[in-house]
Amino acid sequence: AKHPYTLKEYLDDQVAKIKSSENVLDSLLPSLIDVYNLTQDKPGIRYLEGIEGFKKVYQDILDTKCNLRIFTSAHDRVRSDMEKVIDQNILKQKKLGITTRAIWAKEEKLSKKLINQLRELGVEVRITDDQRFALPSQIIIYDNKVAISSLKNEIITTLIDNENIARSFKNIFDYIWESLTKKHKDIYQELPTDLPAKKSSNVSAKLEKSSS
């Protein structure tokens, strides 16, 4: 016969195994919930924090190789690290044949030269002088996903994976895009051909260098 303390050792061992299984389940639970929600026709939602979370969205864009629709943000180039990620991805998307349509609120850094450079890199722009489109958040629509990134203060991205939600955003974007066609042409004609070097956006210089 074994010492009665063996029973306690056995129980402690079982408790340790259960705790280990609980930790594994906790790590898998978010993914399992996403799968469940998708099978139930509910949106899979992920919250991504900081610049690293933002990079994950851009990597997913490269992986899916789907064309983009973007409502640009008035704050997407305020931070140098954010600007670098955006510019690098524009070049990577060009190499993969990914095209972009972007709705952009009119601002001082816009010029005919910049718009033409973006077009050469597969980014077609529609400019609006309606400052309600100077959004604090950037909205990217691709594949069956919508990525909404709050950029004004801390960077927080909500990535929604759902066909019906993505289709709804695509329809809204397409309607606005078409309605801006004439207005964009008028605004484009009013833009300066180029900007003085000290006022020129960093993106203009980077795109000029990379496309030459």
Side-chain angles (χ1 to χ4, degrees), residues 40-85:
Q40 299 297 314
D41 199 29
K42 297 177 181 178
I45 300 176
R46 295 177 64 191
Y47 298 100
L48 306 170
E49 296 185 3
I51 189 70
E52 293 304 318
F54 191 79
K55 288 179 181 178
K56 289 179 181 178
V57 173
Y58 272 74
Q59 183 58 52
D60 190 46
I61 290 170
L62 299 177
D63 292 340
T64 59
K65 297 182 177 64
C66 291
N67 296 332
L68 311 180
R69 296 167 171 85
I70 299 179
F71 289 97
T72 63
S73 169
H75 304 276
D76 57 8
R77 293 184 176 275
V78 173
R79 291 177 44 157
S80 60
D81 54 352
M82 176 68 68
E83 184 177 43
K84 182 178 180 181
V85 171

Side-chain angles (χ1 to χ4, degrees), residues 27-205:
S27 66
L28 293 176
L29 204 53
S31 297
L32 294 175
I33 291 173
D34 281 350
V35 172
Y36 172 79
N37 286 338
L38 288 173
T39 60
Q40 299 297 314
D41 199 29
K42 297 177 181 178
I45 300 176
R46 295 177 64 191
Y47 298 100
L48 306 170
E49 296 185 3
I51 189 70
E52 293 304 318
F54 191 79
K55 288 179 181 178
K56 289 179 181 178
V57 173
Y58 272 74
Q59 183 58 52
D60 190 46
I61 290 170
L62 299 177
D63 292 340
T64 59
K65 297 182 177 64
C66 291
N67 296 332
L68 311 180
R69 296 167 171 85
I70 299 179
F71 289 97
T72 63
S73 169
H75 304 276
D76 57 8
R77 293 184 176 275
V78 173
R79 291 177 44 157
S80 60
D81 54 352
M82 176 68 68
E83 184 177 43
K84 182 178 180 181
V85 171
I86 293 173
D87 289 340
Q88 288 177 341
N89 242 63
I90 288 176
L91 300 177
K92 291 176 182 178
Q93 289 162 197
K94 169 66 174 176
K95 291 179 180 178
L96 292 173
I98 299 172
T99 61
T100 299
R101 288 187 289 160
I103 294 174
W104 197 332
K106 184 179 179 182
E107 53 184 308
E108 291 183 357
K109 67 183 178 184
L110 287 176
S111 66
K112 289 187 177 74
K113 182 177 181 180
L114 175 57
I115 299 303
N116 294 337
Q117 287 172 335
L118 288 169
R119 186 183 298 115
E120 291 173 2
L121 291 170
V123 181
E124 190 73 25
V125 174
R126 285 285 186 275
I127 310 169
T128 174
D129 55 6
D130 187 338
Q131 290 306 302
R132 287 177 293 183
F133 285 96
L135 305 175
S137 297
Q138 179 195 70
I139 303 173
I140 303 178
I141 310 153
Y142 68 101
D143 196 22
N144 289 324
K145 302 174 184 179
V146 180
I148 305 172
S149 298
S150 177
L151 306 176
K152 188 173 182 179
N153 297 311
E154 295 183 12
I155 300 174
I156 301 175
T157 300
T158 302
L159 181 61
I160 305 171
D161 189 343
N162 180 269
E163 182 179 359
N164 292 328
I165 292 176
R167 173 50 56 191
S168 297
F169 272 87
K170 288 175 182 177
N171 290 346
I172 293 170
F173 181 96
D174 290 347
Y175 174 79
I176 297 172
W177 178 268
E178 293 300 327
S179 69
L180 289 176
T181 300
K182 183 180 184 305
K183 190 66 176 178
H184 165 79
K185 292 179 180 178
D186 294 339
I187 296 174
Y188 177 83
Q189 293 303 321
E190 297 172 357
L191 292 177
T193 301
D194 197 5
L195 298 176
K198 64 180 181 179
K199 291 185 178 181
S200 182
S201 169
N202 288 338
V203 64
S204 181

Side-chain angles (χ1 to χ4, degrees), residues 3-45:
H3 194 284
Y5 272 116
T6 303
L7 293 174
K8 187 176 187 312
E9 291 174 354
Y10 174 79
L11 181 60
D12 289 342
D13 181 59
Q14 295 303 306
V15 169
K17 290 180 179 179
I18 292 173
K19 186 62 178 178
S20 177
S21 298
E22 182 182 21
N23 292 336
V24 172
L25 177 60
D26 286 343
S27 66
L28 293 176
L29 204 53
S31 297
L32 294 175
I33 291 173
D34 281 350
V35 172
Y36 172 79
N37 286 338
L38 288 173
T39 60
Q40 299 297 314
D41 199 29
K42 297 177 181 178
I45 300 176

